[in-house]
Amino acid sequence: MSIESFVTGFPRVGPKREYKWAVEKFWKSEITENEFLAKTDELIVSQWKIQRDFGISKQLVGDFSFYDQILETIGYLGIPLKRFGIVSNTDLEHYFKAARGGEVNGKKEAPLEMTKWFDTNYHYLVPEIDWDKDFSPNISRIKHELNLAKKNNIDVIAKIQGPATLLKLSREDSIDDGKKEKIVNSYLNLFNQLKDIGLSSVVLDEGAVGVGNSYISESLFYVLKDVVNKSDMEIFLNGFFGNYQGYLERLEELKIKTLHLDLCMGSFQDEEIKSLSKKFQLSFGVIDGRSIWKSNILDLINWLNKLGIENYIVSSSCSFLHSPYSLEEESILDPDLKNILSFGYEKLNELKLIVTSLNKAEVSEEAKEFNNSFQLSNKQLSGRVNPEVRERVEGLNEKDFNRSTKREERLLFQNENLNIPPLPTTTIGSFPQTAETRNLRKKYKANEINDEEYHKGLKEIIKETVEIQESLDLDILVHGEAERNDMVEYFGELLDGFAFTKFGWVQSYGSRCVKPPIIYGDVNRVDPMTVSWSTYAQSLTAKPMKGMLTGPVTILQWSFIRNDISKKEVAYQIALALRDEVVDLEKNGIKVIQIDEPAIREGLPLDKRFKEEYLDWAVNSFKLSSSGVKPETQIHSHMCYSEFDEILDAINALDVDVLSIEASRSGMDLVNEGLKEKYTGAIGPGIYDIHSPLVLEVNDAKVRVDQLVKSIKLENIWINPDCGLKTRGWPEVKESLKTMVDVTKEVRKTI
Ligand code: GLN
Ligand code: ZN
């Protein structure tokens, strides 16, 4: 018996973000297409070789993508898109137009919409399928990768996104028979072409089916069934991010050879697994593609041995796309912390240790040493437990999660405290970050300027920002957030319990990467984090200055989180740190405090069974952070996404005094009946779309403000942009905010 190891997907951007640099040069025509392609080939081959050297049995062709795996699949299947027609990675110029926007047939086209890949921080492009045109599969690129593999003696298997997931993510939740036939045929056609070049097995990525029936409809499951059962390929069904809830028993209807189980996000009973093993070869996804912590490989080896199954594969739970590459060059991390972390290459090593022991039918010394060593580091690592923080979380009670007065009553105190007109105007927090601002921060980080010089520079920027807001006559002002590079990183750097890597990049979309902080220890606030900036800004104006914080759920959601205590407990720890900051701001004369939670919606579990539990602790964490203040202090929150209806009840339960929310891009859709019924607090649906450099038109502003006045109780309406203004330029911001304020003043006269 020989057990093999396998990885269902690997990062593409390169250990030093080589792909990013290459593609950005290509976009700027600084390198030729051939030079660019040579670079990508080099990167692909180098990663294959590394995986092979770690004993991974087969490498993937079709896993690499020039921008996004969904767009790649659209190209392989030759599915025409509405505004772009056929988009194939053999015509890169056109391909990148679909991804990034550009001129098509003499008309400027916006790119395909980008949205979250399941509940990860990766974003994919949403295909706009043009069903009226013919589909024409094109596997040139796969052929190219296959040749590349042959030249380098790499053994490969093809991988492609499966039909159910592709349709689900294209927002084609239910399709008629005609469409079904078209899509099924295009897969079968593609498979035939793959067979012609000698590829007779394929990994079908079916994340959506892996999540289960609360996420994907039965009609799409039938499309998958049709594709699989009509094909004569050897199919490896790669479902992940769940346990095929609702479909697990029905998988036997599918003619597949290998079935992948995500044993990190999905939970399966041993008995269930044994019975599945009688029908399929199983791929045990035991090495977590979404966390960055070492696995207890001895436990895994024992468990696999105890199952008593023969002929299986040991694999990643999902693609390692969501993990950074390697810890090799992380020289500044605490050695004990480094020794409990596991990025891409380290995960490959874990797979290697597991299968070597399994195949030798004896746990290797190396595997034992691995476990002992990281468990020792786990014990030794300093900063894991802060008894005071633990006690505080332990001792929380009902009162800590609630404000002392009801929202309507608080509003009376606040109106008196703030003295603002009806339809108050404000902004979301950040103002344009100019090269000067970024330079100042950079110099400070590089120790080129001292504290004093840095503070002086920042104060000048804050002063200017306040003056501009005064002259625009906004009602509630902000300090502008010039001291922040990133809304999570800023707080992480000031709190205990966070660590930062040098190269821990993870692809967010296209060539863009993020470097999430790592929460490894108890979170604790050592000193105030924002008070000096806010009080300085307040000292410059008689108008209320809004304090500005990032909320607990967003900090959690955009970080890698420790796995030795629950997410809820980490969230409460962060919430307590923020609570202290909120109270300190209040003590120092700040009357309005905004706690941003743009990521609260994206944390919603895909499997509906876990929704309530999540919302419960998410809402509580926010309330814990915001409830320490007096009734007259006004708490704001901000969220930005358009699908808002599903969690309206939870948002209402946050019990914020004022909520600002993105709305203008979706045509103020959220200002609907549902909102009126379910949301009872004050709300500022954004009337200025800050995602585009376009200036807010007077007419658009009028229409939007009128719409608010018609649909929401007057005393509940706030006027603000969609989101922070950080990425915009000053000229368009000044002009747009002037329009926003002027139009509001006009409307005020009529009420
Ligand atoms: N206060 C933040 C800002 O204005 C909010 C950013 C966000 O919602 N993503 O930049
Ligand atoms: Zn926002």
Side-chain angles (χ1 to χ4, degrees):
M1 171 178 89
S2 163
I3 291 153
E4 298 191 341
S5 59
F6 187 61
V7 171
T8 57
F10 213 69
R12 319 181 278 246
V13 75
K16 290 278 160 60
R17 290 182 293 162
E18 290 84 346
Y19 181 71
K20 172 190 174 69
W21 310 123
V23 76
E24 288 178 356
K25 276 191 187 148
F26 175 58
W27 289 338
K28 285 186 250 166
S29 301
E30 290 170 12
I31 53 174
T32 66
E33 181 161 329
N34 282 338
E35 286 168 326
F36 168 60
L37 289 173
K39 273 254 172 256
T40 31
D41 284 356
E42 199 185 301
L43 182 64
I44 292 171
V45 173
S46 74
Q47 296 306 307
W48 280 342
K49 285 188 174 160
I50 286 174
Q51 294 185 57
R52 186 190 56 189
D53 292 347
F54 276 108
I56 304 299
S57 58
K58 280 197 167 65
Q59 316 315 320
L60 297 166
V61 293
D63 185 45
F64 177 77
S65 164
F66 286 98
Y67 200 95
D68 166 54
Q69 60 263 25
I70 289 292
L71 189 59
E72 234 71 33
T73 305
I74 287 292
Y76 291 139
L77 293 163
I79 299 177
L81 299 182
K82 275 180 187 144
R83 296 174 296 125
F84 299 96
I86 296 283
V87 176
S88 157
N89 54 21
T90 48
D91 176 356
L92 284 178
E93 200 190 322
H94 188 64
Y95 173 97
F96 285 127
K97 280 182 187 166
R100 309 172 66 225
E103 207 172 290
V104 182
N105 300 328
K107 205 174 145 226
K108 241 187 129 58
E109 293 291 356
L112 294 172
E113 185 190 332
M114 201 164 58
T115 192
K116 293 246 159 199
W117 174 254
F118 299 93
D119 59 348
T120 73
N121 283 331
Y122 175 78
H123 302 73
Y124 75 95
L125 295 166
V126 185
E128 303 160 5
I129 300 180
D130 186 350
W131 292 102
D132 297 334
K133 303 237 171 63
D134 288 338
F135 292 14
S136 54
N138 174 353
I139 62 156
S140 311
R141 175 71 203 177
I142 295 187
K143 213 157 137 187
H144 169 80
E145 287 184 19
L146 181 63
N147 288 335
L148 203 59
K150 281 186 182 150
K151 244 192 264 161
N152 290 280
N153 284 317
I154 305 276
D155 201 7
V156 292
I157 180 172
K159 164 175 152 172
I160 182 167
Q161 296 302 310
T165 298
L166 181 71
L167 290 168
K168 166 74 191 172
L169 299 185
S170 306
R171 301 193 179 131
E172 299 276 358
D173 288 283
S174 56
I175 59 170
D176 60 30
D177 286 349
K179 289 178 178 176
K180 183 174 166 189
E181 198 184 318
K182 258 188 138 158
I183 204 92
V184 171
N185 284 339
S186 67
Y187 271 92
L188 296 178
N189 195 335
L190 175 89
F191 290 164
N192 282 336
Q193 294 190 30
L194 290 179
K195 281 183 83 177
D196 287 346
I197 59 169
L199 292 167
S200 56
S201 35
V202 65
V203 177
L204 270 192
D205 255 20
E206 279 291 6
V209 178
V211 175
N213 64 357
S214 70
Y215 186 69
I216 190 169
S217 69
E218 193 164 332
S219 66
L220 296 188
F221 180 77
Y222 280 119
V223 181
L224 170 67
K225 183 173 166 179
D226 238 27
V227 167
V228 167
N229 290 355
K230 284 183 179 157
S231 101
D232 52 1
M233 292 288 269
E234 236 175 51
I235 302 229
F236 179 121
L237 185 70
N238 181 30
F240 48 87
F241 294 166
N243 67 340
Y244 300 96
Q245 180 66 23
Y247 293 122
L248 193 63
E249 280 93 61
R250 299 185 50 192
L251 291 175
E252 61 186 89
E253 296 167 25
L254 306 181
K255 209 182 75 193
I256 54 179
K257 179 179 178 224
T258 309
L259 176 68
H260 180 75
L261 306 179
D262 178 343
L263 292 159
C264 298
M265 275 187 83
S267 54
F268 299 86
Q269 308 290 327
D270 285 4
E271 287 314 310
E272 226 164 32
I273 292 176
K274 283 183 198 162
S275 120
L276 287 168
S277 77
K278 299 201 175 93
K279 294 163 201 144
F280 314 105
Q281 176 191 45
L282 294 180
S283 156
F284 290 122
V286 291
I287 300 300
D288 197 343
R290 294 181 65 173
S291 96
I292 47 155
W293 308 101
K294 275 189 176 148
S295 310
N296 185 326
I297 60 172
L298 295 194
D299 277 1
L300 290 171
I301 294 169
N302 276 338
W303 177 71
L304 286 164
N305 275 330
K306 267 223 304 274
L307 274 180
I309 295 170
E310 283 180 22
N311 177 31
Y312 58 88
I313 297 170
V314 184
S315 51
S316 59
S317 68
C318 62
S319 170
F320 288 163
L321 180 69
H322 314 289
S323 161
Y325 272 82
S326 157
L327 282 157
E328 264 159 42
E329 295 192 39
E330 296 298 341
S331 49
I332 45 168
L333 283 180
D334 175 324
D336 280 322
L337 176 57
K338 188 171 166 181
N339 196 31
I340 64 172
L341 293 173
S342 178
F343 291 176
Y345 297 169
E346 291 78 25
K347 290 179 195 291
L348 293 175
N349 186 47
E350 292 179 19
L351 284 168
K352 180 177 153 196
L353 292 174
I354 294 174
V355 293
T356 335
S357 289
L358 288 170
N359 282 326
K360 274 205 282 188
E362 165 183 74
V363 179
S364 71
E365 283 310 311
E366 213 185 326
K368 286 183 198 157
E369 167 59 25
F370 171 95
N371 250 44
N372 288 340
S373 163
F374 99 81
Q375 282 176 336
L376 183 66
S377 283
N378 230 335
K379 276 203 206 103
Q380 277 173 193
L381 177 60
S382 62
R384 278 290 236 204
V385 180
N386 179 329
E388 271 169 50
V389 172
R390 294 282 163 115
E391 234 168 77
R392 230 180 135 189
V393 172
E394 192 78 9
L396 289 172
N397 61 49
E398 187 72 31
K399 243 179 51 213
D400 300 314
F401 293 93
N402 293 298
R403 294 187 70 176
S404 55
T405 331
K406 284 215 157 45
R407 184 149 63 191
E408 302 85 68
E409 282 171 51
R410 294 192 310 252
L411 196 65
L412 303 176
F413 289 110
Q414 291 163 16
N415 284 343
E416 204 167 304
N417 198 23
L418 297 175
N419 187 25
I420 41 176
L423 308 182
T425 54
T426 188
T427 61
I428 308 305
S430 60
F431 267 90
Q433 297 219 340
T434 57
E436 183 201 340
T437 311
R438 283 194 292 267
N439 241 332
L440 185 73
R441 273 201 316 260
K442 222 168 158 185
K443 277 193 192 154
Y444 181 60
K445 275 216 153 164
N447 279 324
E448 285 167 29
I449 53 173
N450 61 24
D451 276 8
E452 201 182 319
E453 287 164 301
Y454 179 57
H455 290 180
K456 195 170 154 254
L458 276 179
K459 280 183 169 175
E460 271 162 33
I461 299 171
I462 292 175
K463 188 156 180 264
E464 212 182 302
T465 309
V466 172
E467 278 165 7
I468 292 170
Q469 294 172 82
E470 289 251 359
S471 71
L472 287 166
D473 206 15
L474 284 148
D475 299 310
I476 304 274
L477 311 193
V478 297
H479 76 287
E481 300 179 27
E483 76 285 11
R484 301 179 198 176
N485 168 42
D486 175 277
M487 63 189 288
V488 171
E489 189 182 52
Y490 178 78
F491 291 95
E493 282 179 343
L494 295 170
L495 289 165
D496 280 350
F498 285 75
F500 295 84
T501 61
K502 263 169 134 168
F503 302 106
W505 296 100
V506 178
Q507 191 173 14
S508 169
Y509 66 90
S511 70
R512 295 287 276 268
C513 299
V514 292
K515 194 152 62 70
I518 297 171
I519 305 178
Y520 70 93
D522 286 350
V523 176
N524 185 40
R525 190 190 73 141
V526 193
D527 290 308
M529 306 179 283
T530 63
V531 174
S532 64
W533 304 124
S534 291
T535 47
Y536 170 69
Q538 181 65 85
S539 75
L540 303 170
T541 175
K543 292 191 171 177
M545 176 60 56
K546 187 155 64 165
M548 202 60 59
L549 305 172
T550 303
V553 184
T554 299
I555 292 184
L556 191 80
Q557 206 58 34
W558 290 349
S559 303
F560 283 120
I561 320 162
R562 63 193 296 184
N563 59 357
D564 58 332
I565 60 175
S566 71
K567 255 187 172 180
K568 170 176 160 178
E569 185 159 3
V570 182
Y572 283 7
Q573 291 183 0
I574 304 173
L576 282 171
L578 291 167
R579 181 185 179 96
D580 294 345
E581 185 74 13
V582 169
V583 170
D584 273 348
L585 283 166
E586 180 186 63
K587 261 193 221 147
N588 284 280
I590 302 299
K591 299 173 179 171
V592 183
I593 300 159
Q594 179 171 311
I595 307 169
D596 292 326
E597 283 290 21
I600 202 164
R601 166 71 177 78
E602 68 192 47
L604 203 63
L606 300 164
D607 186 332
K608 297 269 189 312
R609 290 175 301 161
F610 308 119
K611 187 176 148 178
E612 288 308 313
E613 187 199 337
Y614 163 77
L615 286 176
D616 195 55
W617 64 253
V619 167
N620 274 336
S621 328
F622 181 89
K623 290 175 76 182
L624 182 57
S625 71
S626 58
S627 297
V629 287
K630 299 183 193 131
E632 61 266 36
T633 298
Q634 189 166 67
I635 298 288
H636 288 217
S637 185
H638 165 71
M639 291 171 197
C640 38
Y641 48 79
S642 34
E643 288 151 37
F644 171 74
D645 280 6
E646 199 185 343
I647 60 161
L648 263 180
D649 285 326
I651 293 175
N652 205 21
L654 295 176
D655 195 30
V656 294
D657 297 308
V658 180
L659 175 71
S660 65
I661 190 153
E662 177 189 320
S664 67
R665 259 203 306 186
S666 54
M668 311 290 279
D669 271 356
L670 75 89
V671 190
N672 58 21
E673 286 307 308
L675 181 74
K676 228 189 274 177
E677 261 167 48
K678 290 190 175 156
Y679 196 75
T680 53
I683 188 165
I687 66 156
Y688 160 31
D689 177 8
I690 61 92
H691 301 89
S692 119
L694 297 179
V695 170
L696 174 64
E697 297 280 337
V698 175
N699 205 41
D700 287 343
K702 266 194 192 135
V703 170
R704 288 170 193 161
V705 175
D706 278 344
Q707 196 181 340
L708 295 182
V709 172
K710 269 193 214 113
S711 351
I712 302 172
K713 266 210 302 216
L714 201 62
E715 64 265 33
N716 277 345
I717 307 173
W718 280 68
I719 307 292
N720 46 260
D722 267 334
C723 192
L725 303 163
K726 180 166 143 182
T727 55
R728 296 270 67 91
W730 270 114
E732 79 241 24
V733 162
K734 282 187 196 164
E735 206 180 322
S736 301
L737 291 181
K738 185 172 184 319
T739 301
M740 184 181 96
V741 174
D742 289 351
V743 165
T744 305
K745 283 181 177 168
E746 282 305 308
V747 178
R748 268 181 208 150
K749 283 185 202 152
T750 68
I751 52 182

